[in-house]
Amino acid sequence: MCRSSIKKWLMFLGTIVFAIGLAFITIEEFTPYQTINIIIMVIGILIILISNLYRDKRSPD
């Protein structure tokens, strides 16, 4: 797998994980588990930040 496809998959996965955490915060039945939902959101943000390590190499132009 090339670096750009790894970055795309990590961005996609991080966005989905963040969205799941955000969705669970808005559902009222999950209010006792709000700390777990915030942790899920932070994990999503960390995955997105890790995806920035897989940058494409720039041309010397």
Side-chain angles (χ1 to χ4, degrees):
M1 257 165 114
C2 62
R3 293 178 77 101
S4 63
S5 74
I6 292 173
K7 180 178 179 172
K8 288 177 187 177
W9 279 105
L10 283 175
M11 284 290 289
F12 177 74
L13 181 68
T15 305
I16 294 297
V17 170
F18 179 80
I20 289 171
L22 187 63
F24 283 154
I25 282 180
T26 59
I27 298 173
E28 292 181 5
E29 286 103 23
F30 292 116
T31 53
Y33 308 109
Q34 192 163 8
T35 56
I36 296 172
N37 298 332
I38 292 172
I39 291 171
I40 291 172
M41 289 175 57
V42 168
I43 290 172
I45 291 171
L46 287 176
I47 292 173
I48 292 172
L49 290 175
I50 289 171
S51 74
N52 286 328
L53 298 175
Y54 292 97
R55 287 187 243 172
D56 291 335
K57 294 183 179 178
R58 295 184 180 193
S59 61
D61 294 340

